[in-house]
Coordinates of all heavy atoms in Angstrom, one line a residue:
M15 N -27.5 -70.8 36.0 CA -28.0 -69.6 36.6 C -27.2 -69.2 37.9 O -26.8 -70.2 38.6 CB -29.5 -69.7 37.0 CG -30.4 -69.6 35.8 SD -32.0 -69.2 36.3 CE -32.9 -69.7 34.9
E16 N -27.1 -68.0 38.2 CA -26.5 -67.5 39.4 C -27.5 -67.3 40.5 O -28.6 -66.8 40.2 CB -25.7 -66.3 39.2 CG -24.9 -65.8 40.4 CD -24.1 -64.6 40.1 OE1 -23.9 -64.2 38.9 OE2 -23.6 -64.0 41.0
R17 N -27.2 -67.7 41.7 CA -28.2 -67.5 42.8 C -27.7 -66.3 43.6 O -26.5 -66.2 44.0 CB -28.2 -68.7 43.7 CG -29.2 -68.6 44.8 CD -29.1 -69.9 45.6 NE -30.3 -70.0 46.3 CZ -31.3 -70.9 46.0 NH1 -31.2 -71.7 45.0 NH2 -32.4 -70.9 46.7
I18 N -28.6 -65.3 43.9 CA -28.3 -64.2 44.7 C -29.4 -64.1 45.8 O -30.5 -64.6 45.6 CB -28.2 -62.9 43.9 CG1 -29.5 -62.5 43.2 CG2 -27.1 -63.0 42.9 CD1 -29.5 -61.1 42.6
T19 N -29.1 -63.3 46.8 CA -30.0 -63.1 47.9 C -30.4 -61.6 47.9 O -29.6 -60.7 47.7 CB -29.4 -63.4 49.3 OG1 -29.0 -64.8 49.3 CG2 -30.4 -63.2 50.4
I20 N -31.7 -61.4 48.0 CA -32.2 -60.0 48.0 C -33.0 -59.8 49.3 O -33.5 -60.7 49.9 CB -33.1 -59.7 46.8 CG1 -34.4 -60.5 46.7 CG2 -32.3 -59.8 45.5 CD1 -35.4 -60.1 45.7
T21 N -33.2 -58.5 49.7 CA -33.9 -58.2 50.9 C -35.1 -57.3 50.4 O -35.0 -56.4 49.6 CB -33.1 -57.4 51.9 OG1 -31.9 -58.1 52.2 CG2 -33.9 -57.0 53.1
L22 N -36.3 -57.7 50.8 CA -37.6 -57.0 50.5 C -38.2 -56.5 51.8 O -38.1 -57.1 52.8 CB -38.5 -58.0 49.8 CG -38.1 -58.6 48.4 CD1 -39.1 -59.6 47.9 CD2 -37.8 -57.5 47.4
T23 N -39.0 -55.5 51.6 CA -39.8 -55.0 52.7 C -40.8 -56.1 53.0 O -41.2 -57.0 52.1 CB -40.6 -53.7 52.4 OG1 -41.5 -54.0 51.4 CG2 -39.6 -52.6 52.0
P24 N -41.4 -56.2 54.2 CA -42.4 -57.2 54.5 C -43.6 -57.2 53.5 O -44.1 -58.2 53.1 CB -42.9 -56.9 55.9 CG -41.7 -56.2 56.5 CD -41.0 -55.4 55.4
E25 N -44.0 -55.9 53.1 CA -45.1 -55.8 52.2 C -44.8 -56.4 50.8 O -45.6 -57.1 50.2 CB -45.5 -54.3 52.1 CG -46.1 -53.7 53.3 CD -45.0 -53.3 54.3 OE1 -43.8 -53.2 53.9 OE2 -45.3 -53.0 55.5
M26 N -43.6 -56.1 50.4 CA -43.1 -56.6 49.1 C -43.0 -58.2 49.1 O -43.5 -58.8 48.2 CB -41.8 -56.1 48.6 CG -41.8 -54.6 48.2 SD -40.1 -54.1 47.8 CE -40.5 -52.5 47.1
A27 N -42.5 -58.7 50.2 CA -42.3 -60.1 50.3 C -43.7 -60.8 50.3 O -43.9 -61.8 49.7 CB -41.6 -60.5 51.6
Q28 N -44.7 -60.2 51.0 CA -46.0 -60.7 51.1 C -46.7 -60.7 49.7 O -47.4 -61.6 49.3 CB -46.9 -60.0 52.1 CG -48.3 -60.6 52.2 CD -48.3 -62.1 52.4 OE1 -47.6 -62.6 53.3 NE2 -49.2 -62.8 51.7
T29 N -46.4 -59.6 48.9 CA -47.0 -59.5 47.6 C -46.4 -60.6 46.7 O -47.2 -61.3 45.9 CB -46.6 -58.1 47.0 OG1 -47.2 -57.1 47.8 CG2 -47.1 -58.0 45.6
V30 N -45.1 -60.9 46.8 CA -44.5 -62.0 46.0 C -45.1 -63.3 46.4 O -45.5 -64.1 45.6 CB -42.9 -61.9 46.2 CG1 -42.3 -63.2 45.6 CG2 -42.4 -60.7 45.6
R31 N -45.1 -63.6 47.7 CA -45.7 -64.8 48.2 C -47.1 -65.0 47.8 O -47.6 -66.1 47.3 CB -45.6 -64.9 49.7 CG -44.2 -65.4 50.2 CD -44.3 -65.7 51.7 NE -44.6 -64.6 52.6 CZ -43.8 -63.7 53.0 NH1 -42.5 -63.8 52.7 NH2 -44.2 -62.7 53.8
G32 N -47.9 -63.9 47.8 CA -49.3 -64.0 47.4 C -49.5 -64.3 46.0 O -50.4 -65.1 45.6
A33 N -48.6 -63.7 45.1 CA -48.7 -64.0 43.7 C -48.4 -65.5 43.4 O -49.0 -66.1 42.5 CB -47.8 -63.1 42.9
V34 N -47.4 -66.0 44.1 CA -47.1 -67.4 43.9 C -48.2 -68.3 44.4 O -48.6 -69.3 43.7 CB -45.7 -67.8 44.6 CG1 -45.4 -69.3 44.5 CG2 -44.6 -67.0 43.9
E35 N -48.7 -68.0 45.6 CA -49.8 -68.8 46.2 C -51.0 -68.8 45.3 O -51.8 -69.8 45.3 CB -50.1 -68.3 47.6 CG -49.0 -68.7 48.6 CD -49.1 -67.9 49.9 OE1 -50.1 -67.2 50.1 OE2 -48.2 -68.1 50.8
A36 N -51.3 -67.6 44.7 CA -52.5 -67.5 43.8 C -52.3 -68.2 42.5 O -53.2 -68.3 41.7 CB -52.8 -66.0 43.6
G37 N -51.1 -68.7 42.2 CA -50.8 -69.4 41.0 C -50.5 -68.5 39.8 O -50.4 -68.9 38.7
E38 N -50.3 -67.2 40.1 CA -49.9 -66.3 39.0 C -48.5 -66.5 38.5 O -48.2 -66.2 37.3 CB -50.0 -64.8 39.5 CG -51.4 -64.4 39.9 CD -51.5 -63.0 40.6 OE1 -50.8 -62.1 40.1 OE2 -52.2 -62.9 41.6
Y39 N -47.6 -67.0 39.4 CA -46.3 -67.3 39.0 C -45.9 -68.7 39.6 O -46.5 -69.1 40.7 CB -45.3 -66.3 39.5 CG -45.5 -64.9 38.9 CD1 -46.4 -64.0 39.4 CD2 -44.8 -64.6 37.7 CE1 -46.6 -62.8 38.8 CE2 -44.9 -63.4 37.1 CZ -45.8 -62.5 37.6 OH -46.0 -61.2 37.0
A40 N -45.0 -69.4 39.0 CA -44.5 -70.7 39.6 C -43.6 -70.5 40.8 O -43.5 -71.3 41.6 CB -43.8 -71.5 38.5
S41 N -42.9 -69.4 40.8 CA -41.9 -69.1 41.9 C -41.7 -67.7 42.1 O -41.9 -66.8 41.2 CB -40.6 -69.8 41.6 OG -40.0 -69.2 40.5
S42 N -41.1 -67.3 43.2 CA -40.7 -66.0 43.5 C -39.6 -65.5 42.5 O -39.6 -64.4 42.1 CB -40.2 -65.8 44.9 OG -39.2 -66.6 45.3
S43 N -38.7 -66.4 42.1 CA -37.7 -66.1 41.1 C -38.3 -65.6 39.8 O -37.8 -64.7 39.2 CB -36.8 -67.3 40.9 OG -36.0 -67.6 42.1
E44 N -39.4 -66.3 39.4 CA -40.1 -65.9 38.2 C -40.6 -64.4 38.3 O -40.5 -63.7 37.3 CB -41.2 -66.8 38.0 CG -41.5 -67.1 36.5 CD -42.7 -68.1 36.4 OE1 -43.9 -67.6 36.4 OE2 -42.4 -69.3 36.4
I45 N -41.1 -64.0 39.4 CA -41.6 -62.7 39.6 C -40.4 -61.7 39.5 O -40.5 -60.7 38.9 CB -42.3 -62.6 41.0 CG1 -43.5 -63.4 41.0 CG2 -42.6 -61.1 41.3 CD1 -44.2 -63.6 42.4
I46 N -39.3 -62.0 40.2 CA -38.1 -61.1 40.2 C -37.6 -61.0 38.8 O -37.2 -59.9 38.3 CB -37.1 -61.6 41.2 CG1 -37.6 -61.7 42.6 CG2 -35.8 -60.7 41.1 CD1 -38.3 -60.4 43.1
R47 N -37.5 -62.1 38.0 CA -37.0 -62.0 36.7 C -37.9 -61.1 35.8 O -37.4 -60.3 35.0 CB -36.9 -63.4 36.1 CG -35.7 -64.2 36.6 CD -35.4 -65.4 35.7 NE -36.5 -66.4 35.9 CZ -36.5 -67.4 36.8 NH1 -35.6 -67.5 37.7 NH2 -37.5 -68.2 36.9
E48 N -39.2 -61.3 36.0 CA -40.1 -60.4 35.2 C -40.0 -58.9 35.6 O -40.0 -58.0 34.8 CB -41.6 -60.8 35.4 CG -42.5 -60.0 34.6 CD -44.0 -60.4 34.7 OE1 -44.3 -61.6 34.8 OE2 -44.9 -59.5 34.6
A49 N -39.8 -58.7 36.9 CA -39.7 -57.3 37.4 C -38.4 -56.7 36.8 O -38.4 -55.5 36.4 CB -39.6 -57.3 38.9
L50 N -37.3 -57.5 36.7 CA -36.1 -57.0 36.2 C -36.2 -56.8 34.7 O -35.6 -55.8 34.1 CB -34.9 -58.0 36.4 CG -34.5 -58.0 37.9 CD1 -33.5 -59.1 38.2 CD2 -33.8 -56.6 38.3
R51 N -36.9 -57.6 33.9 CA -37.1 -57.4 32.5 C -37.9 -56.1 32.3 O -37.5 -55.2 31.5 CB -37.9 -58.5 31.9 CG -37.0 -59.7 31.6 CD -37.8 -60.8 30.7 NE -39.0 -61.3 31.4 CZ -39.0 -62.4 32.2 NH1 -37.9 -63.0 32.4 NH2 -40.1 -62.8 32.7
D52 N -38.9 -55.9 33.1 CA -39.7 -54.6 33.1 C -38.8 -53.4 33.4 O -38.9 -52.4 32.7 CB -40.9 -54.6 34.0 CG -42.0 -55.6 33.5 OD1 -41.9 -56.1 32.4 OD2 -42.9 -55.9 34.4
W53 N -38.0 -53.5 34.4 CA -37.1 -52.5 34.8 C -36.1 -52.1 33.7 O -35.9 -50.9 33.4 CB -36.3 -52.9 36.1 CG -35.3 -51.9 36.5 CD1 -35.5 -50.7 37.1 CD2 -33.9 -52.1 36.5 NE1 -34.3 -50.2 37.4 CE2 -33.3 -51.0 37.1 CE3 -33.1 -53.2 36.0 CZ2 -31.9 -50.9 37.2 CZ3 -31.7 -53.0 36.1 CH2 -31.1 -51.9 36.7
R54 N -35.5 -53.1 33.0 CA -34.6 -52.9 31.9 C -35.3 -52.2 30.8 O -34.8 -51.3 30.1 CB -34.0 -54.2 31.4 CG -32.9 -54.7 32.4 CD -32.1 -55.8 31.7 NE -32.9 -56.8 31.1 CZ -32.6 -58.1 31.0 NH1 -31.5 -58.5 31.5 NH2 -33.3 -58.9 30.3
H55 N -36.5 -52.6 30.5 CA -37.3 -52.0 29.4 C -37.6 -50.6 29.7 O -37.5 -49.7 28.9 CB -38.6 -52.8 29.2 CG -39.5 -52.3 28.1 ND1 -39.2 -52.4 26.8 CD2 -40.7 -51.6 28.2 CE1 -40.2 -51.8 26.1 NE2 -41.1 -51.3 27.0
K56 N -38.0 -50.3 31.0 CA -38.3 -48.9 31.4 C -37.0 -48.0 31.3 O -37.1 -46.9 30.8 CB -38.8 -48.9 32.8 CG -39.0 -47.5 33.4 CD -39.5 -47.7 34.9 CE -39.5 -46.3 35.5 NZ -39.9 -46.4 36.9
R57 N -35.9 -48.6 31.6 CA -34.6 -47.8 31.5 C -34.3 -47.6 30.1 O -33.8 -46.5 29.7 CB -33.5 -48.6 32.2 CG -33.6 -48.5 33.7 CD -32.4 -49.1 34.4 NE -31.2 -48.4 33.9 CZ -30.1 -48.4 34.6 NH1 -30.0 -49.0 35.7 NH2 -29.0 -47.8 34.1
A58 N -34.5 -48.5 29.2 CA -34.2 -48.3 27.8 C -35.1 -47.2 27.2 O -34.7 -46.4 26.4 CB -34.4 -49.6 27.0
L59 N -36.4 -47.2 27.6 CA -37.3 -46.2 27.2 C -36.9 -44.8 27.7 O -36.9 -43.8 26.9 CB -38.8 -46.5 27.6 CG -39.5 -47.6 27.0 CD1 -40.8 -47.9 27.6 CD2 -39.7 -47.3 25.5
Q60 N -36.5 -44.7 28.9 CA -36.0 -43.5 29.5 C -34.8 -43.0 28.7 O -34.6 -41.8 28.5 CB -35.7 -43.6 31.0 CG -36.9 -43.8 31.8 CD -36.6 -44.1 33.3 OE1 -35.5 -44.7 33.6 NE2 -37.5 -43.8 34.2
A61 N -33.9 -43.9 28.4 CA -32.7 -43.5 27.7 C -33.0 -43.0 26.3 O -32.4 -42.0 25.8 CB -31.7 -44.7 27.6
Q62 N -34.0 -43.6 25.6 CA -34.4 -43.2 24.3 C -35.1 -41.8 24.4 O -34.9 -40.9 23.6 CB -35.4 -44.2 23.7 CG -35.8 -43.8 22.3 CD -34.6 -43.7 21.3 OE1 -33.8 -44.6 21.2 NE2 -34.5 -42.5 20.7
E63 N -35.9 -41.6 25.4 CA -36.6 -40.3 25.6 C -35.6 -39.2 25.9 O -35.7 -38.1 25.4 CB -37.6 -40.4 26.8 CG -38.8 -41.2 26.5 CD -39.7 -41.4 27.7 OE1 -39.3 -41.0 28.8 OE2 -40.8 -42.0 27.5
L64 N -34.5 -39.5 26.7 CA -33.5 -38.5 26.9 C -32.7 -38.2 25.6 O -32.5 -37.1 25.3 CB -32.5 -39.0 28.0 CG -31.3 -38.1 28.3 CD1 -31.8 -36.8 28.7 CD2 -30.4 -38.8 29.3
A65 N -32.4 -39.3 24.8 CA -31.7 -39.0 23.5 C -32.6 -38.2 22.6 O -32.1 -37.3 21.9 CB -31.4 -40.4 22.9
D66 N -33.9 -38.4 22.6 CA -34.8 -37.6 21.8 C -34.9 -36.2 22.2 O -34.9 -35.3 21.4 CB -36.2 -38.2 21.8 CG -36.3 -39.6 21.1 OD1 -35.4 -40.0 20.4 OD2 -37.4 -40.3 21.3
L67 N -34.9 -36.0 23.5 CA -34.9 -34.7 24.1 C -33.6 -33.9 23.8 O -33.7 -32.7 23.3 CB -35.1 -34.7 25.6 CG -35.2 -33.4 26.3 CD1 -36.3 -32.5 25.8 CD2 -35.3 -33.6 27.8
L68 N -32.5 -34.6 23.9 CA -31.2 -33.9 23.6 C -31.1 -33.6 22.1 O -30.6 -32.5 21.8 CB -30.1 -34.9 24.0 CG -29.9 -35.0 25.5 CD1 -28.8 -36.1 25.8 CD2 -29.5 -33.7 26.2
A69 N -31.7 -34.5 21.3 CA -31.7 -34.2 19.8 C -32.6 -33.0 19.5 O -32.2 -32.1 18.7 CB -32.2 -35.4 19.1
A70 N -33.7 -32.8 20.2 CA -34.6 -31.7 20.0 C -33.9 -30.4 20.5 O -34.0 -29.4 19.8 CB -35.9 -31.9 20.7
V71 N -33.2 -30.5 21.6 CA -32.5 -29.3 22.1 C -31.4 -28.9 21.1 O -31.3 -27.7 20.8 CB -31.9 -29.6 23.5 CG1 -30.9 -28.5 23.9 CG2 -33.0 -29.7 24.6
Q72 N -30.7 -29.9 20.6 CA -29.7 -29.6 19.6 C -30.2 -29.0 18.3 O -29.7 -28.1 17.8 CB -28.8 -30.8 19.3 CG -27.6 -30.5 18.4 CD -26.7 -29.6 19.1 OE1 -26.2 -29.8 20.2 NE2 -26.4 -28.5 18.4
E73 N -31.4 -29.5 17.9 CA -32.1 -28.9 16.7 C -32.4 -27.5 17.0 O -32.2 -26.6 16.1 CB -33.3 -29.7 16.4 CG -34.1 -29.3 15.2 CD -35.3 -30.1 14.9 OE1 -35.5 -31.2 15.6 OE2 -36.1 -29.7 14.1
G74 N -32.9 -27.2 18.2 CA -33.2 -25.8 18.5 C -32.0 -24.9 18.5 O -32.0 -23.8 18.0
L75 N -30.9 -25.4 19.1 CA -29.7 -24.6 19.1 C -29.2 -24.4 17.7 O -28.7 -23.3 17.4 CB -28.6 -25.4 20.0 CG -28.9 -25.4 21.5 CD1 -27.9 -26.3 22.2 CD2 -29.0 -24.0 22.1
D76 N -29.3 -25.4 16.9 CA -28.9 -25.3 15.5 C -29.7 -24.3 14.7 O -29.2 -23.5 13.9 CB -29.0 -26.6 14.7 CG -27.9 -27.7 15.2 OD1 -27.0 -27.3 15.9 OD2 -28.1 -28.9 14.9
D77 N -31.0 -24.3 15.0 CA -31.9 -23.3 14.4 C -31.5 -21.9 14.8 O -31.5 -20.9 14.0 CB -33.4 -23.5 14.8 CG -34.0 -24.7 14.1 OD1 -33.4 -25.1 13.0 OD2 -35.1 -25.2 14.5
I78 N -31.2 -21.7 16.1 CA -30.8 -20.4 16.6 C -29.5 -19.9 15.9 O -29.4 -18.8 15.4 CB -30.6 -20.4 18.1 CG1 -31.9 -20.5 18.8 CG2 -29.9 -19.1 18.6 CD1 -31.8 -20.8 20.3
E79 N -28.6 -20.8 15.8 CA -27.3 -20.5 15.2 C -27.5 -20.2 13.7 O -26.8 -19.3 13.2 CB -26.3 -21.7 15.3 CG -24.9 -21.4 14.9 CD -24.0 -22.5 15.2 OE1 -24.0 -23.0 16.3 OE2 -23.2 -22.8 14.3
A80 N -28.4 -20.8 13.0 CA -28.6 -20.6 11.6 C -29.6 -19.4 11.3 O -29.9 -19.1 10.2 CB -29.2 -21.9 10.9
G81 N -30.1 -18.8 12.4 CA -31.0 -17.7 12.3 C -32.5 -18.1 12.0 O -33.3 -17.2 11.5
R82 N -32.8 -19.3 12.2 CA -34.2 -19.8 11.9 C -35.0 -19.6 13.2 O -35.4 -20.6 13.8 CB -34.2 -21.3 11.5 CG -33.5 -21.5 10.1 CD -33.6 -23.0 9.7 NE -33.0 -23.9 10.6 CZ -31.8 -24.4 10.5 NH1 -31.1 -24.1 9.4 NH2 -31.2 -25.2 11.3
V83 N -35.3 -18.4 13.5 CA -36.0 -18.1 14.8 C -37.0 -16.9 14.5 O -36.8 -16.2 13.5 CB -35.1 -17.6 15.9 CG1 -34.2 -18.8 16.3 CG2 -34.2 -16.4 15.6
R84 N -38.0 -16.9 15.3 CA -39.0 -15.8 15.2 C -39.1 -15.2 16.6 O -38.9 -15.9 17.6 CB -40.4 -16.3 14.8 CG -40.4 -16.6 13.3 CD -41.9 -16.8 12.9 NE -42.2 -18.2 13.0 CZ -43.4 -18.6 12.7 NH1 -44.4 -17.8 12.4 NH2 -43.7 -19.9 12.7
D85 N -39.6 -13.9 16.7 CA -39.8 -13.4 18.0 C -41.0 -14.1 18.7 O -41.9 -14.6 18.0 CB -40.2 -11.9 17.9 CG -39.0 -11.0 17.5 OD1 -37.9 -11.4 17.8 OD2 -39.2 -10.0 16.9
F86 N -41.0 -14.2 20.0 CA -42.0 -14.9 20.7 C -43.3 -14.1 20.6 O -43.3 -12.9 20.9 CB -41.6 -15.1 22.2 CG -42.6 -15.8 23.0 CD1 -42.7 -17.2 23.0 CD2 -43.5 -15.1 23.8 CE1 -43.7 -17.8 23.7 CE2 -44.4 -15.8 24.6 CZ -44.5 -17.1 24.5
D87 N -44.4 -14.8 20.2 CA -45.6 -14.1 20.0 C -46.7 -15.0 20.7 O -47.2 -15.9 20.1 CB -45.9 -13.9 18.6 CG -47.3 -13.2 18.3 OD1 -48.0 -13.0 19.3 OD2 -47.5 -12.9 17.1
A88 N -47.0 -14.7 21.9 CA -48.0 -15.6 22.7 C -49.3 -15.6 22.0 O -50.0 -16.7 22.0 CB -48.1 -15.1 24.1
E89 N -49.8 -14.5 21.5 CA -51.1 -14.4 20.8 C -51.2 -15.4 19.6 O -52.1 -16.0 19.4 CB -51.5 -13.0 20.4 CG -51.7 -12.1 21.6 CD -52.9 -12.6 22.5 OE1 -53.9 -13.0 22.0 OE2 -52.7 -12.5 23.7
R90 N -50.1 -15.4 18.8 CA -50.0 -16.2 17.7 C -50.1 -17.7 18.1 O -50.8 -18.5 17.5 CB -48.7 -16.0 16.9 CG -48.6 -16.9 15.6 CD -47.3 -16.6 14.9 NE -46.1 -16.8 15.8 CZ -45.6 -18.0 16.0 NH1 -46.1 -19.1 15.5 NH2 -44.5 -18.1 16.8
I91 N -49.4 -18.0 19.2 CA -49.4 -19.4 19.7 C -50.7 -19.8 20.2 O -51.2 -20.9 19.9 CB -48.3 -19.6 20.8 CG1 -46.9 -19.4 20.2 CG2 -48.4 -20.9 21.5 CD1 -45.8 -19.2 21.2
I92 N -51.4 -18.9 20.9 CA -52.8 -19.2 21.4 C -53.7 -19.4 20.2 O -54.5 -20.3 20.2 CB -53.2 -18.1 22.3 CG1 -52.4 -18.1 23.6 CG2 -54.7 -18.2 22.6 CD1 -52.6 -16.9 24.5
R93 N -53.7 -18.5 19.2 CA -54.5 -18.6 18.0 C -54.3 -20.0 17.4 O -55.3 -20.7 17.0 CB -54.3 -17.5 17.1 CG -55.0 -16.2 17.4 CD -55.0 -15.2 16.2 NE -53.7 -15.0 15.6 CZ -52.7 -14.2 16.1 NH1 -53.0 -13.4 17.2 NH2 -51.6 -14.1 15.5
R94 N -53.0 -20.3 17.2 CA -52.7 -21.6 16.5 C -53.3 -22.8 17.3 O -53.8 -23.7 16.7 CB -51.2 -21.7 16.4 CG -50.7 -22.8 15.5 CD -49.3 -22.7 15.2 NE -48.7 -23.9 14.7 CZ -47.4 -24.2 14.7 NH1 -46.6 -23.3 15.2 NH2 -47.0 -25.3 14.2
G95 N -53.1 -22.7 18.6 CA -53.7 -23.8 19.5 C -55.2 -23.9 19.4 O -55.8 -25.0 19.3
E96 N -55.8 -22.7 19.4 CA -57.3 -22.7 19.3 C -57.8 -23.2 17.9 O -58.8 -24.0 17.8 CB -57.8 -21.3 19.5 CG -57.7 -20.9 20.9 CD -58.0 -19.4 21.1 OE1 -58.0 -18.6 20.2 OE2 -58.2 -19.0 22.3
E97 N -57.0 -22.9 16.9 CA -57.4 -23.4 15.5 C -57.2 -24.9 15.5 O -58.1 -25.6 14.9 CB -56.5 -22.8 14.5 CG -56.8 -21.3 14.2 CD -55.7 -20.6 13.4 OE1 -54.7 -21.3 13.0 OE2 -55.8 -19.4 13.2
R98 N -56.2 -25.5 16.1 CA -56.0 -26.9 16.1 C -57.1 -27.6 16.9 O -57.6 -28.6 16.5 CB -54.7 -27.3 16.7 CG -53.5 -27.0 15.8 CD -52.2 -27.5 16.4 NE -51.1 -27.3 15.5 CZ -49.9 -27.7 15.7 NH1 -49.6 -28.3 16.8 NH2 -48.9 -27.5 14.8
L99 N -57.5 -27.0 18.0 CA -58.6 -27.6 18.8 C -59.9 -27.6 18.0 O -60.7 -28.5 18.0 CB -58.8 -26.8 20.1 CG -57.7 -27.1 21.2 CD1 -58.0 -26.1 22.4 CD2 -57.8 -28.5 21.7
Q100 N -60.2 -26.5 17.3 CA -61.4 -26.4 16.5 C -61.4 -27.4 15.4 O -62.4 -28.0 15.1 CB -61.6 -25.0 16.0 CG -61.9 -23.9 17.0 CD -61.9 -22.5 16.5 OE1 -61.6 -22.3 15.4 NE2 -62.3 -21.6 17.4
S101 N -60.3 -27.6 14.8 CA -60.2 -28.5 13.6 C -60.4 -30.0 14.2 O -61.0 -30.8 13.5 CB -58.9 -28.4 12.8 OG -57.8 -28.8 13.6
R102 N -59.9 -30.3 15.4 CA -60.1 -31.6 16.0 C -61.5 -31.8 16.3 O -62.1 -32.8 16.1 CB -59.2 -31.7 17.2 CG -57.8 -32.0 16.9 CD -57.0 -32.3 18.2 NE -55.6 -32.4 18.0 CZ -54.7 -32.4 18.9 NH1 -55.1 -32.3 20.2 NH2 -53.4 -32.5 18.6
A103 N -62.1 -30.8 16.9 CA -63.5 -30.8 17.3 C -64.4 -31.0 16.1 O -65.4 -31.8 16.1 CB -64.0 -29.6 18.1
A104 N -64.1 -30.3 15.0 CA -64.9 -30.5 13.7 C -64.7 -31.8 13.2 O -65.7 -32.4 12.6 CB -64.5 -29.4 12.8
G105 N -63.6 -32.4 13.3 CA -63.3 -33.8 12.8 C -63.9 -34.9 13.6 O -64.2 -36.0 13.0
S106 N -64.3 -34.6 14.8 CA -64.9 -35.7 15.6 C -66.4 -35.7 15.6 O -67.1 -36.5 16.2 CB -64.5 -35.5 17.1 OG -65.0 -34.3 17.6
D107 N -67.0 -34.7 14.9 CA -68.5 -34.7 14.8 C -69.0 -35.8 13.9 O -68.5 -36.3 13.0 CB -68.9 -33.3 14.2 CG -68.7 -32.2 15.3 OD1 -68.5 -32.6 16.4 OD2 -68.7 -31.0 14.9

């Protein structure tokens, strides 16, 4: 393993020490490793969400190019939303 030095705010350092003293972790290194695993996981999720968003944008652009579009109709959208809400409410009874 490689050893590195990090700088934490006093509050963060106390949180780390408190977790070790409470027996939640065996060492401060364990806490930092878990935090980094969580950070990597969060970044992977963000990257996937961005990829999904870009794919949806591209799908929309492809639809426009292929002529698969309708005029914007706010009333139709509202009615459709209300119908969905009513069907959900009916299903929860």
